[in-house]
Amino acid sequence: MMRTLLVRGMLAGLAAGLLAAAFAYVVGEPPVGDAIALEESHATASHGDAASHDDTASRGDTAHAESHTHAGSPGHASESGAAPESGGVPESGEDGGHEHGDDALVGRGVQSTIGLATGVTGYAVAVGGLFAIAFAVAQGRVTTLRPRVSAALLAAGGFAVVVLVPFLKYPANPPAVGQAGTIEDRTALYFGFLALSVATAMVAVAAGRAVADRSGAACGGLLGVGGYVTVMTIAAALLPAVDEVPDGFPGSLLWDFRLASLGTQAVLWCALGLGFAVLAEKALGPETAPSPEKAPGQARDGAPKAARQ
Amino acid sequence: MSQPNVVSIPRTGAVPRPDAIRIPLRDIVPWAIFTTLLALLVLFFVSTEAGAVSLVSDGLVHEFVHDGRHLLAFPCH
Ligand SMILES: [Zn+2]
């Protein structure tokens, strides 16, 4: 049974990952491309005084020069008038485009298509596996609802705990936003906050379930959700903020990117939850199928329309 | 409509409902360990490799999954 659930979780994750990758390609790649173009034109990479006219002029050029290598950069340098002094500084070249353009091992054309799909799908399959484990633990313990209802609720909660709450404190950043020297700190803060969110949610669910057994579901739910929100709010207030958006970085581009990032995750978790809900219902079906008729409480109170499939 | 459902569960919840499938924890644990290890490995390569921590030093993996890392909201660079 566990093996079946696991395989189905990863299958749902695979499908969700492909959908999310398609969304990311259509909605997310334009802002990523714009941000990389800005980054490579040195518009904002710690050179706030760089002439923005030159940068917007060269932005179009760098945007379609997909695998832009350092060997070809004399042409690029002459395009932007501010380049001679900023392009000559070695570290600006390093923190500027080491991943995307200059010493690219992987061209932008690959990064924005197969690379994107592989990254998002790999993430989704891994999350799908973990999701199946979480479902197996929760089903019959935290919730006694129908498998598909449990799966949908778990996906909604998972999205909030794993994506939304960390995002509210440490939102996604496009290329060109963020200083190279602080990547260790930012990574530690992000994963620390993510781990705290997951751990707090697990404690909150266990506590909420225990209280619900004694004092009713309303008390348990309120305590669980309220406790989680309180702990995470305090933690968010205490932990340091990360604010490394360079001067002159377009606010609308930042917004577009962050919305696309959140959208990618939302598509992923929605598809994962719904896909797994269908598959889990089938996996646990033979045992649960006769029960709606036998257990009137479940059949009547659960979704009557949905119960007929 | 959902209210009686939600309230009725805790009362019978002490004794698990016969129709609520509950997979024994001892069946879950081995799979959980296996999945967690595998998932963490994949998530590490998607999210962090050659960013803050480097195992494969040439940065090939990082560059390949680079856009996914940004769009999945992980800190990249
Ligand atoms: Zn990056």
Side-chain angles (χ1 to χ4, degrees):
Chain A
M1 179 53 68
M2 198 50 237
R3 200 173 79 92
T4 313
L5 277 183
L6 195 55
V7 168
R8 291 181 182 209
M10 289 163 80
L11 277 177
L14 180 68
L18 292 174
L19 280 174
F23 180 93
Y25 179 74
V26 173
V27 180
E29 276 301 329
V32 169
D34 288 353
I36 289 175
L38 273 178
E39 180 179 44
E40 295 195 339
S41 65
H42 302 283
T44 51
S46 70
H47 296 285
D49 55 351
S52 57
H53 304 295
D54 295 49
D55 298 314
T56 35
S58 63
R59 190 171 143 179
D61 294 290
T62 38
H64 62 70
E66 295 209 308
S67 53
H68 171 72
T69 60
H70 237 315
S73 74
H76 167 68
S78 64
E79 280 160 25
S80 53
E85 77 269 8
S86 61
V89 179
E91 68 260 18
S92 81
E94 271 167 57
D95 65 46
H98 70 115
E99 290 124 353
H100 330 106
D102 293 1
D103 303 312
L105 298 162
V106 182
R108 282 295 305 145
V110 174
Q111 279 186 1
S112 66
T113 52
I114 314 168
L116 174 72
T118 308
V120 173
T121 309
Y123 171 86
V125 172
V127 168
L130 295 175
F131 186 83
I133 301 290
F135 172 84
V137 174
Q139 182 65 11
R141 293 184 179 84
V142 178
T143 132
T144 46
L145 301 166
R146 292 183 63 110
R148 66 166 161 234
V149 179
S150 300
L153 289 176
L154 185 63
F159 175 76
V161 167
V162 176
V163 176
L164 188 59
V165 166
F167 193 97
L168 291 174
K169 174 63 178 169
Y170 297 115
N173 280 321
V177 173
Q179 288 149 21
T182 61
I183 181 65
E184 272 98 359
D185 296 341
R186 283 183 286 126
T187 304
L189 283 173
Y190 181 79
F191 284 102
F193 197 67
L194 174 61
L196 180 71
S197 177
V198 173
T200 307
M202 292 201 292
V203 173
V205 165
R209 176 74 260 182
V211 171
D213 286 338
R214 256 170 243 120
S215 324
C219 283
L222 275 177
L223 181 105
V225 175
Y228 171 80
V229 170
T230 306
V231 170
M232 292 316 291
T233 306
I234 292 170
L238 293 180
L239 284 167
V242 171
D243 182 11
E244 298 183 348
V245 181
D247 289 343
F249 192 90
S252 55
L253 179 54
L254 188 63
W255 170 256
D256 286 347
F257 173 82
R258 287 182 173 171
L259 210 54
S261 172
L262 205 55
T264 302
Q265 285 279 16
V267 168
L268 195 156
W269 282 84
C270 275
L272 173 63
L274 296 180
F276 187 79
V278 171
L279 294 176
E281 187 78 20
K282 278 187 187 158
L284 305 176
E287 290 93 338
T288 42
S291 66
E293 282 78 34
K294 274 192 285 181
Q298 192 82 351
R300 209 180 301 127
D301 301 329
K305 300 167 291 192
R308 308 278 160 255
Q309 302 236 353
Chain B
M1 182 174 222
S2 61
Q3 190 64 18
N5 185 30
V6 174
V7 173
S8 73
I9 285 163
R11 288 187 189 139
T12 53
V15 181
R17 300 174 70 100
D19 54 324
I21 299 279
R22 180 198 282 222
I23 299 170
L25 280 178
R26 86 177 55 137
D27 290 358
I28 299 176
V29 166
W31 291 104
I33 293 168
F34 167 74
T35 311
T36 306
L37 289 178
L38 216 62
L40 286 182
L41 190 71
V42 172
L43 294 178
F44 169 74
F45 277 107
V46 173
S47 69
T48 314
E49 212 302 296
V53 187
S54 246
L55 289 186
V56 187
S57 55
D58 61 4
L60 192 71
V61 177
H62 175 170
E63 289 192 16
F64 188 61
V65 300
H66 174 265
D67 287 20
R69 185 175 296 185
H70 275 281
L71 281 165
L72 291 169
F74 292 111
C76 174
H77 73 282

